[in-house]
Amino acid sequence: MELSDSVQKGLQSLSDPAVFDQGSFPVLLDVSFRSLGSLRGDAAVLDRPELKKVDQLVLKQCHAAAASFILEAVKHDLDPSSVSSHLEEIGFSSERIEIFLSAYQKHKKELEGLLASIGNRPTLINDVSWRLQYHMKNGQVDKVNEPFYLISLNTENKGTSEDINFTCSMEQLQDLVGKLKDAAKSAEKASQM
């Protein structure tokens, strides 16, 4: 897990007992975890009595660094020992690492769910059904006798199931099948590299 210089600098300040004492350190961690889990932004999130004695610029930098580190750790699904190793490298004491790990384990599942709900995942195709039909005649010509296919794709996106229905001629279906075969070959080649 790579961290930017500003995040590392913020975490180093957070690890410094001269900047964050025994009372303000756990409060900033709690605020950082809670603000990430909150659906609404709260401008007064850092307006806590325990944090009043910390320089406001350093406080904001450390809050942003802690939030960034937490999100990266959850995104990479780091276990407590990996988180502990990263924090040790930055200079956290064992006592502060314990406090951090306790909060991390308490909020990890909630943050995993939050991260999973963000972004655009491609729709999954669960099933395909089709039916062959014939146009016998239409409004302009008495006899058409043209086959067409009704295709139904059962898809799933973010846990909701949806059917996508469309029709196509035999030529269009052959073109679609050819493109799908090309995509399957490309995916197979990519997986063999």
Side-chain angles (χ1 to χ4, degrees), residues 52-127:
K52 291 290 185 195
K53 54 190 163 204
V54 179
D55 178 27
Q56 291 301 299
L57 184 62
V58 172
L59 179 65
K60 289 178 183 178
Q61 181 186 18
C62 292
H63 177 258
S68 296
F69 180 80
I70 292 164
L71 287 175
E72 284 296 314
V74 171
K75 181 175 104 176
H76 292 288
D77 195 24
L78 295 184
D79 61 356
S81 65
S82 299
V83 172
S84 177
S85 297
H86 283 291
L87 293 175
E88 282 175 7
E89 286 176 20
I90 293 168
F92 277 71
S93 67
S94 59
E95 181 182 327
R96 289 189 179 215
I97 291 174
E98 290 291 325
I99 294 169
F100 192 97
L101 290 178
S102 172
Y104 178 74
Q105 290 172 321
K106 178 180 174 186
H107 295 280
K108 185 179 179 192
K109 288 290 181 204
E110 175 189 359
L111 293 174
E112 283 174 341
L114 180 71
L115 287 177
S117 70
I118 296 173
N120 295 328
R121 281 182 274 165
T123 302
L124 299 175
I125 298 176
N126 294 328
D127 193 21

Side-chain angles (χ1 to χ4, degrees), residues 149-165:
Y149 294 88
L150 294 171
I151 311 289
S152 179
L153 303 175
N154 179 279
T155 62
E156 183 179 335
N157 193 2
K158 295 183 182 176
T160 59
S161 184
E162 179 184 352
D163 286 336
I164 298 174
N165 299 307

Side-chain angles (χ1 to χ4, degrees), residues 3-16 19-20 57-58 61-66 90 92:
L3 300 173
S4 69
D5 291 339
S6 63
V7 170
Q8 288 182 12
K9 185 178 176 189
L11 290 173
Q12 287 167 350
S13 296
L14 184 59
S15 71
D16 186 357
V19 179
F20 288 92
L57 184 62
V58 172
Q61 181 186 18
C62 292
H63 177 258
I90 293 168
F92 277 71

